[in-house]
Amino acid sequence: MMKVFDYSFQYENTTTGRVNLWLAHPPETDRQTVLAEERAEAETYSDEIGNRFSYHELAPGEKVEASYTVGLETVAGKQASLTAEERERYTRSTAMIPVNEEIRRMAGDLTAEAENDREKGRLLFLHLVADYTYKFPVRARGVEHFLKEKKGDCGEYSFLYASLCRALGIPCRVMVGAFAMGKHHAHVWNELYVEGEGWIPVDTSMAYTVKKQLWRFFFTSIRTLKWRRYFGETENQRIVFSIDTEHEPVPSYPEEDLEGRPYETFPLADKDFTWGKSALHGRIPYFQPMYFHYEADRPYKWKRTEEALGSWRVKEGSTGRGFLATRTIAGYLALFLAFIYFLTSWEIASILFPFPAFLYCLSFCVRKERTVFFSLASSFFGAVSILVMLGFLAEYV
């Protein structure tokens, strides 16, 4: 069964000079299919692992826009064995996903009792969930920093997990994308290759969040799973912008000597990195979903996320949006009635409140989102609604 999502992207050059922009277009994977797309004519290229990128040159005030319809299969098709080139790529050491002696020793110690690659991947998954803490925003990016601080976001979890798997010779890749929760909501996770099964999803940061910080997702439209299920499964409400890290830009990224210039730097893979001015050894670190180079001579102070990463929105297809619209209306109506009753003690508000509250909670049950809690809540408000109606009938009929 296929679920359909609408994804739109927009970026405007708000600097005083030209911007060179590389935009990732959703790739085709064993789970994801691009059903339709609309975008400006531009130089487009692809790489050997299925990524697609376009290159744009924007004068101050110019925009680039794109929109896509993306389909996600509930169950991925079985993939054939990896080629030697694919296996080499997904076990290699890179700046963002280093494989060194420390990582090899750590991965070996953690999986000493495992009998196969799947079990090794599961033990690494359990270790990251147990020993690291989700935190956003981060002060630095890179496996070395995450190992030291043991606090990081979804990207840090994913980079370290890929490093540990690769250190054992297990192919692992980083998936960069976003949840279908409206505007932004970027996310990064992994896919692990298991012979005979193909690529299986692994989401260490979501497992940690669901286990210890569920409040982050409790009232959202994401159907969270039991935390252990994030090894081998996802909620199927996310799309992929690009596969893996450190992409070679075409044309090549402009080289600038920033030594002594007043540009703000950010630690990235043990390098002082200036967003929009630096490349990582000539490569784009990752697409979420774009990267760029701005030519203005003076440092630009990013006031909003959209100025550095573009603005994007991922929404469910028409059926899903209908349920979410009903939830939104019911939720705001229940909140409004509760607020009115709190301020005025108006009895009618208290009588009407259970009806939209019931619909709000029921929508979570229908969509299988936190079903235990919202089943109890919808049962409670449903019972109250019935009692209110019976009382009304007894009094006025």
Side-chain angles (χ1 to χ4, degrees), residues 271-291:
K271 177 183 177 182
D272 289 335
F273 197 86
T274 299
W275 197 262
K277 283 289 188 179
S278 302
L280 194 61
H281 308 298
R283 295 177 178 268
I284 291 170
Y286 49 84
F287 284 101
Q288 205 168 41
M290 55 158 274
Y291 192 61

Side-chain angles (χ1 to χ4, degrees), residues 41-318:
E41 291 286 336
E43 180 182 354
T44 304
Y45 66 100
S46 58
D47 64 18
E48 67 275 13
I49 60 174
N51 288 307
R52 302 183 301 138
F53 315 115
S54 60
Y55 174 72
H56 308 261
E57 296 183 359
L58 305 176
E62 286 189 329
K63 297 180 181 180
V64 59
E65 297 178 322
S67 61
Y68 313 84
T69 301
V70 179
L72 296 183
E73 295 289 349
T74 305
V75 179
K78 191 173 180 180
Q79 179 165 325
S81 296
L82 296 182
T83 65
E85 292 77 13
E86 288 173 321
R87 184 171 291 276
E88 189 281 329
R89 180 184 180 92
Y90 293 121
T91 56
R92 65 179 181 167
S93 176
T94 70
M96 297 293 295
I97 308 174
V99 179
N100 52 40
E101 286 306 313
E102 179 186 6
I103 295 292
R104 289 191 181 94
R105 183 169 56 253
M106 178 179 173
D109 290 344
L110 291 170
T111 60
E113 298 181 3
E115 297 182 355
N116 53 55
D117 286 353
R118 197 181 213 284
E119 179 63 13
K120 289 177 182 178
R122 191 184 70 85
L123 290 176
L124 295 177
F125 164 83
L126 294 175
H127 171 71
L128 263 68
V129 174
D131 281 29
Y132 295 80
T133 301
Y134 181 90
K135 181 182 178 181
F136 181 84
V138 295
R139 295 186 299 168
R141 282 207 185 281
V143 166
E144 293 298 325
H145 179 266
F146 192 41
L147 284 171
K148 179 181 177 182
E149 297 294 325
K150 294 202 169 186
K151 294 180 180 180
D153 64 5
C154 56
E156 302 310 288
Y157 273 88
S158 300
F159 301 145
L160 177 56
Y161 185 79
S163 290
L164 291 169
C165 287
R166 292 182 182 190
L168 298 172
I170 304 172
C172 186
R173 61 189 184 183
V174 172
M175 312 301 282
V176 181
F179 285 115
M181 292 169 57
K183 192 174 183 181
H184 296 166
H185 298 288
H187 192 50
V188 184
W189 66 101
N190 295 102
E191 286 190 350
L192 177 75
Y193 186 80
V194 177
E195 197 68 44
E197 293 187 59
W199 291 106
I200 64 171
V202 180
D203 198 332
T204 48
S205 63
M206 273 298 289
Y208 174 88
T209 304
V210 169
K211 184 180 181 182
K212 299 184 179 180
Q213 299 179 359
L214 184 57
W215 54 267
R216 290 179 177 271
F217 286 91
F218 203 82
F219 293 100
T220 70
S221 59
I222 291 296
R223 183 175 66 89
T224 49
L225 310 176
K226 292 181 179 179
W227 71 269
R228 290 179 183 272
R229 289 172 60 187
Y230 283 102
F231 181 80
E233 190 176 347
T234 73
E235 71 297 312
N236 213 38
Q237 289 174 280
R238 58 181 75 181
I239 69 165
V240 179
F241 291 150
S242 61
I243 303 170
D244 228 44
T245 64
E246 290 143 282
H247 307 281
E248 184 173 356
V250 179
S252 59
Y253 198 83
E255 294 185 10
E256 287 194 66
D257 183 6
L258 302 181
E259 186 72 28
R261 298 173 68 183
Y263 287 93
E264 183 177 344
T265 62
F266 178 82
L268 179 71
D270 296 328
K271 177 183 177 182
D272 289 335
F273 197 86
T274 299
W275 197 262
K277 283 289 188 179
S278 302
L280 194 61
H281 308 298
R283 295 177 178 268
I284 291 170
Y286 49 84
F287 284 101
Q288 205 168 41
M290 55 158 274
Y291 192 61
F292 67 116
H293 175 269
Y294 70 95
E295 296 186 349
D297 289 330
R298 61 184 178 84
Y300 189 80
K301 185 68 174 178
W302 312 113
K303 300 185 179 98
R304 299 175 299 150
T305 301
E306 294 91 322
E307 295 176 340
L309 297 175
S311 176
W312 70 84
R313 189 180 298 272
V314 183
K315 301 183 295 184
E316 296 186 30
S318 57

